[in-house]
C-alpha cells in the first residue's frame, strides 16, 4: 500500500494534539469504508467500487503509519482489516473499523475484551484468568500502555508481547499492554503521540533513525525535538533517549535494559532519569512488578486514601463539627435533603480531628506531608504547601513570609488584588511596573522586560537595590499573555543576583503538563536556569559579558536595556515561588491552591514561611479540599499530558470555527496572538496559531523565543462588534443559554477551555453563536435603517469610544521617603491604615466640580482605598495614590455597575490633606532609616 499523505490538509493543531487527530483519521477511514460498502451494493460494473476501495486503501495506509505507536487496536486487528480490504470484503472492513473507532472514542477497549477480538486479552497466564472490568465486587483496574524501545527484530515483537501478558497476576493493581518501537526517533514519536503511556523500557543498542520515512512524521518529530529542547548529542543513545523523553513527559517511568556492566551504568549521574536499570531481561517478573510499582507510586494519594479509610471506620466524635458523620443531617426532620443531595461519604469523611489517620495542614507530619512531597515531585518543586483558601491566600502567605516592612516589591499594577493587600499586610513598598495596554479592548497585557530592567536599574542608581526583594508577575495573565519566564529571571538576576520571584500562576498550573508551555512556567524555567548556571559554556559567556560591562553593571548605561543580560553564575541565588489555583485548571475543589517553592535559600526563610502559614491558614481546613489537591496531582501525573493536549485542541477548534464561520465571524471574533501581543514582543514574527500558513515550526519558535506568547486556551471573544458589552453578553449567555464564562471587558468576554471540556461543549457554543448572529441579522434586516444606525452607533461606542486606561500615577509625597526619587515606590500601608480614622478622610462626588478644581489647583486628591472596577478588574486607585485627571476621566466614562471600594452615593473616599501633612513621610523615613537607605544616600 502506498503512503499517500495529503500534507496540505495537515493543520498546525494536528501537531499539537494528537488524540483528536487520531479519532478524525479513524472517522475518515470509516466514511470511505462505508462508501465502499454502499457502492458494492449498487455498482454493477465494479468501476465505482474499485475507486472507493482504493480510497479505503489510501486512507488506511495513511492511518496505519500512526497506529504503530498504540497498543490498541494493535498489529493483529490492523492485519485483519488489511486482509479484509485485500479480499474485497467491504462489509467486514466497515464493521471492524466501526467497532474499533467506537472503542477508541469511548475508551471501552480499556475494559472490554471483545474490542480486542480476543477473549484472552485481559487474562494473565492462562491459569489466572481475571477480567479487569468491574464485576461488582472488584474495582476496575486502570489500563495503561508501556512503550518498549528495542533493537530486536520486529518479527520477535509479538513473542515479547505475549511474554509480558503472561506475567499478569490476579493481584495486579493495574493492567497494561505493550507497544514496540525499533529506534530512538520512533520512541520519541511514540511518547509524544500516545498519551496512555505510563512507562518506557529502553534496551541498549537501539539505532537512532526510524525506518519510517513518512515526511509527515519526520516533520512532526523534528519540530517536537526542537520544541522540547532535546539535544543531538547521541553518543550515549539510551541515556539521551531517556533524557529526551523526560523533556516531553517528566512523570514517565523509564527503565533501562543494559547488556553492559549495569553497576557502572547505574553509577552515571545522568542515569537519574531511569527508575531502574536491569541487566537485560534477566528478571522479567521484577520488571513487570517495577512497572506496576512505578504507576502505583503516582496513583497513590496518601491523604485521600486515608480519608477514605477514615470514613469507613465507626468513629464517635466529641469534637466540634456536628456535620461530621452526618447524623444531625440524616436524622433531621428538616435538612435531610442536604444529606441526600451530597451523599453520605461527604459527612463520613468530615472531621475536625488531626489524628486517627488524618493529619494537620498547619503542621503536617503524616499523610498531608507525604501528599505535599508527591505534589512537589509532580510540579518539579522542592517544597509544596497545600492551601485551602485559594490563591488569594497563597499569595499573601508568600508575600508575608518573604517581605518585611520597608522592603520594595516590584509588582504588576494589574495583578490580582491579593498582591496589593499582601503589600499592605507585609508593609512592603510596592513599586508598580506597568503592563502594556490593549486600550482598544479595555485591558492590559503583561509587563515588558525592559520596564522591569529599567526599574531595577533605577533602584540601583538610587542605592536602593538591596531593598528590592521581590518581583511579582502574573503568568499567564488573566487574558492569556505568557511571559518568557526564563529570560525575565535571568536578566533580572543579572542586575540583582538574589531577587526573589513570585510567579502568580493562578491560571497556569496545568501548563506543567504541556511540553510546550512547561518551559514558560516558574518551575520549568527555574529547572532550565539551574542547569544553565552550572554549564561551563554559560560561565564562559558570562565572563565575556563581564569584560564588556564589568562585574557591577552601571545603571546609567542605557545599552543594558537593549542587551540580553546574563546572570553571574558565581553569585546568583535562584529563589523562585509559584502559586497556582489548582481548582482553576485541575480537578481540585474550589479554593484548592498550592504554593510551589524552588528556593536555594529556603532554609533561611523556612521559619518565617511557617509563620505565614500559621497567619493565613484556617485552623479548620476543609478535608475535602486537601483530598482533592492530592487527587488532582494524581490525575495530572497520570493523564495530565493527554488532558492538557485536549484542552489546547478544543481551544484551537473554537478559535478556527468562530473566526472562519461565515455568519459568526460577521459579528464575533476571537483575538489572535497578533492582537493580544504587540509585534515588538513577537520577534520571531509569529502571527497566530490559526492564521493561514501558520506552521508548527513557527509556533514552536515563538513559544521558545518571543517575549510574550499567547495561551491558546484563554480566548478573548470580541462581542462589541455584535453590539453587546462584555457584561451584557456574559449575562445573556448565562441566562438564556446556560453558558458560563470567565471575565469580561468593555467589548469582549473571556472564554476558557480546560481539562473538563469536550467537543460537545464547543459545538454547543458554536450553535449558540450562530443563533445569536442569526437574530442580529434578522433584527437588522427587519428593523430598517433606523435599527441599522442604532446598531452601528452602539458598535462604534463599544469599539471606538473606549476610555484610555490610566497608568499608575504616583504615591503622595508624604508617603515617599524621598519625593525626588526616580523610583515610584511608596508606603501604601500608611495610606491604607490612615483611612481607618473617619476624621482623616473626606468624600467627593465623582461629578463634583470640586474634583476638577482640586486637580488643577490642589491640594492633591489622594485615594484612601483601593478602587477596583469589574471589568477591567485592576485597581485604578490604591491607598495613598494621587488621583490625576486621567483616572477621573476613566472613572467618569466607566459604565460598569460593580466598582469595589467606590460608592456612587458617597463619592470618592480621599485622605484629607491635613492627615497627609501630618504623616509627612514619617513612616517611610523611619523604615528607610532602619534599612539604612537614607544613611547611604546621605553618604
Ligand atoms: C492572577 C490571579 N491570582 C490569584 C487569584 C486568586 O485565586 P483564588 O480564586 O484561587 O483565590 C486570581 C483569581 O481570579 C487571579 O486571577
Amino acid at each position: 500500500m502506498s503512503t499517500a499523505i495529503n500534507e496540505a490538509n495537515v493543520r498546525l493543531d494536528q501537531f499539537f494534539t494528537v488524540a483528536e487527530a487520531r479519532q478524525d483519521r479513524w472517522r475518515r477511514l470509516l466514511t470511505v469504508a462505508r462508501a465502499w460498502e454502499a457502492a458494492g451494493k449498487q455498482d454493477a460494473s465494479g468501476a465505482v467500487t474499485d475507486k472507493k476501495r482504493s480510497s479505503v486503501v489510501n486512507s488506511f495506509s495513511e492511518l496505519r503509519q500512526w497506529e504503530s505507536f498504540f497498543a490498541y487496536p494493535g498489529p493483529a486487528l490492523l492485519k485483519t482489516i488489511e486482509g479484509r480490504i485485500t479480499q474485497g470484503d467491504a462489509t467486514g472492513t466497515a464493521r471492524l473499523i466501526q467497532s474499533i473507532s467506537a472503542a477508541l472514542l469511548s475508551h471501552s477497549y480499556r475494559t472490554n475484551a471483545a474490542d480486542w477480538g480476543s477473549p484472552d486479552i485481559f487474562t494473565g497466564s492462562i491459569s489466572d484468568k481475571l477480567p479487569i472490568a468491574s464485576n461488582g465486587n472488584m474495582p476496575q483496574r486502570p489500563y495503561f500502555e508501556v512503550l518498549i524501545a528495542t533493537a530486536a527484530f520486529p518479527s520477535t515483537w509479538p513473542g515479547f508481547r505475549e511474554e509480558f501478558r503472561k506475567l499478569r497476576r490476579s493481584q495486579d493493581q493495574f493492567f497494561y499492554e505493550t507497544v514496540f518501537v525499533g529506534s530512538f526517533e520512533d520512541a520519541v514519536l511514540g511518547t509524544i503521540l500516545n498519551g496512555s503511556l505510563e512507562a518506557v523500557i529502553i534496551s541498549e543498542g537501539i539505532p537512532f533513525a526510524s525506518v519510517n520515512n513518512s515526511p509527515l512524521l519526520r516533520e512532526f518529530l523534528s519540530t517536537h525535538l526542537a520544541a522540547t529542547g532535546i539535544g543531538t548529542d547521541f553518543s550515549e543513545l539510551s541515556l539521551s533517549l531517556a533524557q529526551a523523553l523526560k523533556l516531553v513527559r517528566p512523570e514517565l517511568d523509564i527503565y533501562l535494559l543494559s547488556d553492559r556492566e549495569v553497576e557502572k551504568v547505574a553509577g552515571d549521574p545522568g542515569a537519574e532519569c531511569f527508575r531502574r536499570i536491569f541487566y537485560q531481561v534477566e528478571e522479567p517478573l521484577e520488571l513487570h512488578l517495577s512497572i506496576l510499582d512505578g504507576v502505583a507510586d503516582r496513583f497513590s494519594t496518601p491523604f485521600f486514601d486515608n480519608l477514605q479509610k477514615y470514613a469507613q471506620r465507626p468513629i464517635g466524635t466529641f469534637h466540634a463539627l456536628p456535620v461530621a458523620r452526618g447524623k444531625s443531617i440524616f436524622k433531621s426532620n428538616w435538612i435531610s435533603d442536604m444529606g441526600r443531595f451530597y451523599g453520605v461519604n461527604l459527612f463520613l469523611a468530615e472531621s475536625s480531628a488531626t489524628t486517627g489517620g488524618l493529619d494537620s495542614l498547619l503542621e503536617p507530619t503524616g499523610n498531608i506531608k507525604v501528599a505535599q512531597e508527591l505534589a512537589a515531585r509532580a510540579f518539579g518543586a522542592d517544597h509544596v504547601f497545600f492551601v485551602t483558601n485559594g490563591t488569594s491566600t497563597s499569595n499573601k502567605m508568600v508575600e508575608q513570609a518573604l517581605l518585611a516592612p520597608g522592603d520594595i516589591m516590584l509588582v504588576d499594577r494589574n495583578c490580582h488584588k491579593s498582591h496589593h493587600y499582601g503589600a499592605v499586610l507585609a508593609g512592603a513598598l510596592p513599586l508598580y511596573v506597568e503592563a502594556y495596554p490593549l486600550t482598544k479592548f479595555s485591558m492590559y497585557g503583561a509587563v515588558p522586560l525592559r520596564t522591569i530592567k529599567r526599574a531595577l536599574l533605577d533602584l540601583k542608581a538610587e542605592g536602593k537595590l538591596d531593598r528590592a526583594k521581590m518581583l511579582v508577575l502574573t503568568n499567564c495573565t488573566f487574558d492569556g499573555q505568557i511571559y518568557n519566564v526564563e529570560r525575565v529571571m535571568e536578566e533580572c538576576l543579572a542586575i540583582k543576583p538574589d531577587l526573589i520571584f513570585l510567579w502568580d500562576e493562578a491560571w497556569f498550573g496545568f501548563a506543567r503538563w504541556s511540553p510546550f508551555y512547561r518551559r514558560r512556567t516558574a518551575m520549568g524555567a527555574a529547572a532550565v536556569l539551574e542547569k544553565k548556571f552550572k554549564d561551563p559554556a554559560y560561565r564562559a559567556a558570562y565572563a565575556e559579558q563581564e569584560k564588556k560591562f564589568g562585574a557591577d553593571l552601571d545603571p546609567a548605561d542605557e545599552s543594558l536595556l537593549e542587551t540580553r543580560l546574563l546572570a553571574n553564575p558565581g553569585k546568583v541565588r535562584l529563589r523562585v515561588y509559584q502559586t497556582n489555583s489548582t481548582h482553576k485548571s485541575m480537578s481540585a475543589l474550589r479554593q484548592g491552591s498550592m504554593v510551589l517553592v524552588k528556593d536555594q535559600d529556603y532554609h533561611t526563610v523556612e521559619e518565617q514561611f511557617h509563620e505565614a502559614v500559621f497567619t493565613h491558614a484556617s485552623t479548620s481546613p476543609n478535608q475535602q479540599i486537601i483530598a482533592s489537591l492530592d487527587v488532582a496531582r494524581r490525575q495530572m501525573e497520570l493523564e495530565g499530558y493527554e488532558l492538557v493536549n485536549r484542552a489546547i485542541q478544543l481551544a484551537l477548534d473554537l478559535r478556527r470555527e468562530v473566526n472562519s464561520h461565515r455568519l459568526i465571524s460577521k459579528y464575533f471574533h476571537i483575538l489572535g496572538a497578533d492582537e493580544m501581543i504587540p509585534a515588538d514582543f513577537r520577534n520571531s514574527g509569529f502571527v497566530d496559531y490559526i492564521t493561514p500558513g501558520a506552521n508548527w515550526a513557527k509556533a514552536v519558535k515563538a513559544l521558545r523565543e518571543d517575549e510574550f506568547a499567547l495561551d491558546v486556551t484563554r480566548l478573548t471573544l470580541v462581542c462589541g462588534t455584535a453590539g453587546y458589552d462584555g457584561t451584557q453578553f456574559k449575562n445573556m449567555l448565562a441566562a438564556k443559554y446556560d453558558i458560563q464564562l470567565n471575565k469580561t471587558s468593555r467589548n469582549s468576554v473571556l472564554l476558557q477551555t480546560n481539562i473538563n471540556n469536550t467537543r460537545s461543549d464547543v459545538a454547543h457554543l458554536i450553535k449558540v453563536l450562530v443563533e445569536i448572529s442569526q437574530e442580529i441579522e434578522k433584527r437588522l434586516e427587519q428593523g430598517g435603517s433606523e435599527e441599522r444606525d442604532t446598531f452601528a452607533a452602539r458598535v462604534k461606542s463599544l469599539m471606538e469610544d473606549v476610555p484610555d486606561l490610566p497608568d499608575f500615577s504616583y504615591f503622595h509625597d508624604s508617603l515617599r521617603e524621598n519625593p525626588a526619587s526616580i523610583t515610584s515606590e511608596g508606603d501604601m500601608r500608611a495610606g491604607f491604615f490612615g483611612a481607618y480614622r473617619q476624621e482623616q478622610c473626606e468624600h467627593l462626588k465623582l461629578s463634583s466640580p470640586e474634583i476638577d478644581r482640586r486637580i488643577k489647583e490642589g491640594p492633591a486628591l489622594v485615594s484612601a482605598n483601593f478602587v477596583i472596577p469589574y471589568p477591567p478588574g485592576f485597581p485604578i486607585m490604591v491607598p495613598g495614590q494621587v488621583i490625576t485627571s486621567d483616572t477621573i476621566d476613566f472613572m467618569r466614562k466607566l459604565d460598569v455597575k460593580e466598582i469595589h471600594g467606590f460608592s456612587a452615593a458617597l463619592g470618592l473616599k480621599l485622605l484629607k490633606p491635613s492627615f497627609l501633612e501630618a504623616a509627612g513621610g514619617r513612616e517611610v523615613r523611619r523604615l528607610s532609616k532602619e534599612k539604612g537607605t537614607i544613611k547611604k544616600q546621605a553618604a
Side-chain angles (χ1 to χ4, degrees):
M1 286 180 198
S2 78
T3 48
I5 302 157
N6 186 354
E7 292 202 42
N9 287 341
V10 180
R11 296 187 319 235
L12 182 142
D13 55 316
Q14 285 207 345
F15 294 118
F16 224 130
T17 68
V18 288
E20 307 288 327
R22 184 178 184 212
Q23 266 155 23
D24 284 345
R25 282 192 293 273
W26 277 97
R27 221 177 345 264
R28 275 202 303 274
L29 179 62
L30 182 59
T31 307
V32 289
R34 279 188 180 144
W36 178 31
E37 185 189 14
K41 288 183 185 149
Q42 296 153 1
D43 175 30
S45 73
V48 179
T49 312
D50 278 349
K51 226 167 137 199
K52 300 279 178 201
R53 183 177 164 277
S54 68
S55 299
V56 176
V57 169
N58 286 340
S59 188
F60 182 60
S61 74
E62 184 201 332
L63 168 143
R64 202 173 188 177
Q65 59 179 337
W66 299 88
E67 285 302 317
S68 58
F69 301 106
F70 300 90
Y72 182 80
L77 280 175
L78 290 171
K79 218 168 168 98
T80 309
I81 298 178
E82 187 180 14
R84 289 185 188 178
I85 297 172
T86 313
Q87 287 156 18
D89 177 4
T91 302
T93 304
R95 278 204 190 136
L96 185 51
I97 293 169
Q98 154 83 47
S99 81
I100 293 172
S101 166
L104 284 171
L105 198 62
S106 64
H107 291 146
S108 63
Y109 68 92
R110 293 176 177 173
T111 49
N112 183 11
D115 288 340
W116 295 76
S118 151
D120 286 341
I121 190 72
F122 293 144
T123 60
S125 51
I126 299 307
S127 61
D128 188 7
K129 286 184 192 288
L130 190 86
I132 62 158
S134 169
N135 59 12
N137 297 323
M138 207 191 70
Q140 182 179 305
R141 288 197 282 175
Y143 168 93
F144 63 90
E145 298 185 0
V146 175
L147 185 79
I148 301 179
T150 170
F153 289 118
S155 57
T156 62
W157 295 353
F160 284 136
R161 188 174 287 116
E162 279 311 310
E163 290 300 312
F164 272 101
R165 284 179 181 161
K166 282 191 188 141
L167 294 168
R168 290 176 193 156
R169 302 158 321 134
S170 54
Q171 60 269 51
D172 289 348
Q173 199 184 352
F174 313 105
F175 167 83
Y176 66 86
E177 270 289 302
T178 49
V179 185
F180 287 79
V181 290
S183 70
F184 179 108
E185 289 189 331
D186 282 345
V188 174
L189 272 174
T191 306
I192 293 165
L193 294 171
N194 186 342
S196 300
L197 291 185
E198 299 299 346
V200 180
I201 301 168
I202 301 172
S203 68
E204 274 191 332
I206 47 159
F208 177 75
S210 167
V211 289
N212 192 331
N213 288 323
S214 150
L216 191 55
L217 285 176
R218 191 143 292 289
E219 180 179 351
F220 184 85
L221 179 69
S222 57
T223 47
H224 271 76
L225 286 173
T228 49
I230 295 171
T232 46
D233 171 15
F234 301 118
S235 52
E236 187 45 82
L237 218 47
S238 46
L239 192 57
S240 295
L241 176 57
Q243 287 167 342
L245 301 189
K246 285 280 179 189
L247 286 173
V248 181
R249 288 188 59 192
E251 66 280 6
L252 279 184
D253 293 324
I254 305 184
Y255 300 92
L256 177 69
L257 300 185
S258 172
D259 51 9
R260 293 185 289 149
E261 294 164 276
V262 279
E263 309 76 13
K264 278 229 170 75
V265 182
D268 184 329
E272 64 183 8
C273 47
F274 295 114
R275 186 176 168 92
R276 261 191 84 173
I277 296 170
F278 290 93
Y279 183 67
Q280 278 304 350
V281 218
E282 69 174 3
E283 294 163 292
L285 184 60
E286 278 297 305
L287 179 56
H288 169 74
L289 294 176
S290 298
I291 292 169
L292 296 177
D293 190 50
V295 174
D297 210 18
R298 278 176 273 158
F299 189 80
S300 155
T301 35
F303 182 77
F304 176 56
D305 297 348
N306 259 294
L307 193 63
Q308 290 184 82
K309 281 190 206 134
Y310 173 90
Q312 301 316 319
R313 285 168 43 203
I315 288 171
T317 57
F318 289 95
H319 54 64
L321 194 71
V323 298
R325 320 305 291 177
K327 285 176 273 190
S328 69
I329 291 162
F330 288 102
K331 287 186 181 162
S332 164
N333 196 23
W334 298 102
I335 63 165
S336 57
D337 55 336
M338 178 187 180
R340 284 194 301 278
F341 181 69
Y342 286 113
V344 69
N345 280 341
L346 179 67
F347 305 101
L348 291 178
E350 263 309 340
S351 172
S352 66
T354 53
T355 51
L358 301 175
D359 195 1
S360 157
L361 183 66
L362 280 97
E363 196 83 77
T365 52
N367 44 53
I368 294 184
K369 183 167 183 281
V370 184
Q372 291 184 156
E373 284 163 6
L374 294 182
R377 173 190 70 192
F379 281 91
D382 294 335
H383 309 277
V384 163
F385 292 86
F386 288 173
V387 180
T388 60
N389 338 34
T391 298
S392 306
T393 297
S394 301
N395 288 336
K396 284 179 280 201
M397 277 181 184
V398 178
E399 279 144 8
Q400 176 181 319
L402 303 174
L403 295 166
D407 285 344
I408 295 172
M409 161 185 171
L410 289 94
V411 55
D412 176 2
R413 198 268 308 238
N414 191 28
C415 67
H416 187 255
K417 62 183 162 71
S418 50
H419 299 289
H420 305 277
Y421 286 107
V424 169
L425 293 176
L429 313 183
L431 195 167
Y432 287 117
V433 278
E434 290 289 347
Y436 64 81
L438 291 168
T439 310
K440 196 171 157 199
F441 304 108
S442 278
M443 59 173 86
Y444 276 98
V447 185
L449 178 54
R450 193 187 166 88
T451 306
I452 300 168
K453 282 166 72 178
R454 173 85 277 161
L456 286 170
L457 290 169
D458 286 349
L459 285 165
K460 186 167 189 197
E462 301 225 336
K464 289 191 282 198
L465 195 57
D466 56 330
R467 284 173 58 195
K469 281 279 157 61
M470 187 191 266
L471 171 65
V472 181
L473 294 172
T474 312
N475 185 57
C476 63
T477 65
F478 214 132
D479 301 296
Q481 287 94 353
I482 317 172
Y483 283 85
N484 189 331
V485 179
E486 177 190 337
R487 181 165 171 198
V488 170
M489 293 204 286
E490 190 178 1
E491 293 215 46
C492 289
L493 289 171
I495 303 171
K496 172 119 204 308
D498 59 351
L499 188 66
I500 304 174
F501 299 91
L502 169 54
W503 293 97
D504 179 342
E505 297 189 355
W507 296 101
F508 210 42
F510 72 95
R512 169 93 192 150
W513 282 273
S514 161
F516 308 105
Y517 285 171
R518 187 177 308 119
R519 215 182 157 111
R520 283 188 178 249
T521 64
M523 292 301 126
V528 173
L529 287 177
E530 197 177 29
K531 233 171 135 187
K532 222 172 176 180
F533 294 149
K534 289 185 190 143
D535 186 349
Y538 190 85
R539 286 175 183 269
Y542 173 75
E544 283 307 308
Q545 174 183 296
E546 201 175 290
K547 272 189 218 154
K548 190 166 169 204
F549 293 109
D552 190 22
L553 300 178
D554 173 5
D557 183 350
E558 284 293 311
S559 70
L560 294 177
L561 294 174
E562 314 304 331
T563 308
R564 170 85 151 93
L565 297 174
L566 304 179
N568 180 346
K571 257 180 116 177
V572 83
R573 310 299 300 167
L574 197 54
R575 309 193 63 184
V576 186
Y577 290 74
Q578 184 250 43
T579 51
N580 76 65
S581 294
T582 321
H583 68 99
K584 288 197 206 296
S585 71
M586 291 167 264
S587 298
L589 294 179
R590 196 154 168 80
Q591 294 193 14
S593 168
M594 293 188 196
V595 176
L596 313 185
V597 181
K598 195 166 174 65
D599 175 359
Q600 66 184 113
D601 291 333
Y602 179 67
H603 58 280
T604 64
V605 293
E606 191 168 356
E607 264 177 38
Q608 61 216 49
F609 209 90
H610 287 290
E611 287 293 346
V613 172
F614 295 151
T615 310
H616 294 281
S618 164
T619 39
S620 310
N622 186 302
Q623 309 285 5
Q624 318 320 318
I625 298 179
I626 304 172
S628 74
L629 287 168
D630 203 11
V631 175
R633 186 272 310 151
R634 177 210 288 177
Q635 177 176 44
M636 296 315 276
E637 274 201 306
L638 290 163
E639 55 182 352
Y641 174 76
E642 201 168 15
L643 294 175
V644 168
N645 271 346
R646 196 181 62 193
I648 292 173
Q649 162 80 40
L650 293 178
L652 289 167
D653 284 350
L654 198 49
R655 283 171 181 274
R656 180 177 314 96
E657 205 50 44
V658 168
N659 288 1
S660 63
H661 192 282
R662 184 192 56 79
L663 183 60
I664 299 175
S665 64
K666 272 173 86 171
Y667 302 102
F668 298 95
H669 171 62
I670 293 178
L671 299 181
D674 51 335
E675 290 154 298
M676 298 292 289
I677 300 166
D680 282 355
F681 304 121
R682 287 182 282 110
N683 282 353
S684 69
F686 180 67
V687 180
D688 185 46
Y689 301 90
I690 59 162
T691 311
N695 75 39
W696 183 231
K698 281 188 202 156
V700 165
K701 191 167 157 36
L703 275 164
R704 256 184 103 77
E705 295 173 10
D706 286 352
E707 182 162 350
F708 300 110
L710 180 67
D711 172 9
V712 287
T713 69
R714 304 188 72 73
L715 308 104
T716 300
L717 177 78
V718 177
C719 54
T721 38
Y724 296 103
D725 69 52
T727 311
Q728 207 183 6
F729 192 62
K730 175 180 169 169
N731 293 343
M732 182 176 78
L733 285 186
K736 211 166 153 192
Y737 300 101
D738 286 331
I739 290 177
Q740 294 180 358
L741 44 83
N742 225 296
K743 76 160 230 234
T744 59
S745 85
R746 179 178 168 82
N747 48 28
S748 71
V749 293
L750 180 71
L751 311 165
Q752 180 191 345
T753 60
N754 62 38
I755 63 170
N756 185 43
N757 286 114
T758 60
R759 277 180 145 181
S760 309
D761 295 335
V762 173
H764 179 48
L765 182 64
I766 293 295
K767 188 169 172 299
V768 165
L769 290 177
V770 169
E771 226 172 90
I772 296 171
S773 306
Q774 279 167 341
E775 272 171 30
I776 300 171
E777 291 267 285
K778 200 162 144 201
R779 211 174 64 227
L780 293 179
E781 261 171 39
Q782 294 177 354
S785 62
E786 199 176 317
E787 179 67 37
R788 285 193 288 277
D789 291 347
T790 313
F791 179 79
R794 171 85 177 138
V795 170
K796 182 174 176 299
S797 142
L798 289 169
M799 299 304 298
E800 292 174 29
D801 306 338
V802 281
D804 278 341
L805 295 168
D807 277 351
F808 175 74
S809 54
Y810 48 93
F811 284 108
H812 189 261
D813 282 357
S814 65
L815 303 173
R816 306 189 60 205
E817 61 193 31
N818 173 12
S821 167
I822 48 170
T823 61
S824 65
E825 76 282 359
D827 188 3
M828 187 162 75
R829 180 192 175 99
F832 182 88
F833 286 110
Y836 273 33
R837 294 197 173 185
Q838 289 305 320
E839 68 274 17
Q840 294 177 169
C841 299
E842 60 182 334
H843 284 91
L844 274 183
K845 286 242 167 88
L846 190 57
S847 55
S848 158
E850 177 65 2
I851 286 200
D852 304 280
R853 192 196 64 73
R854 290 241 329 239
I855 284 178
K856 265 200 200 120
E857 299 165 20
L861 300 169
V862 178
S863 182
N865 56 357
F866 290 104
V867 176
I868 311 178
Y870 287 86
F874 65 89
I876 56 168
M877 296 174 209
V878 306
Q881 178 185 340
V882 173
I883 301 170
T884 57
S885 56
D886 288 352
T887 314
I888 295 298
D889 286 351
F890 184 80
M891 278 290 280
R892 284 179 178 161
K893 280 190 195 161
L894 211 59
D895 49 8
V896 300
K897 290 193 186 70
E898 197 178 332
I899 307 179
H900 296 181
F902 173 73
S903 150
L906 289 173
L908 293 174
K909 187 173 180 184
L910 305 168
L911 290 168
K912 278 188 181 164
S914 53
F915 161 73
L916 293 161
E917 257 164 48
R922 258 191 336 244
E923 183 63 3
V924 218
R925 293 221 171 83
R926 184 182 67 73
L927 292 172
S928 52
K929 216 179 238 162
E930 246 170 40
K931 301 267 165 187
T933 315
I934 280 190
K935 253 189 281 146
K936 235 180 254 163
Q937 278 179 348

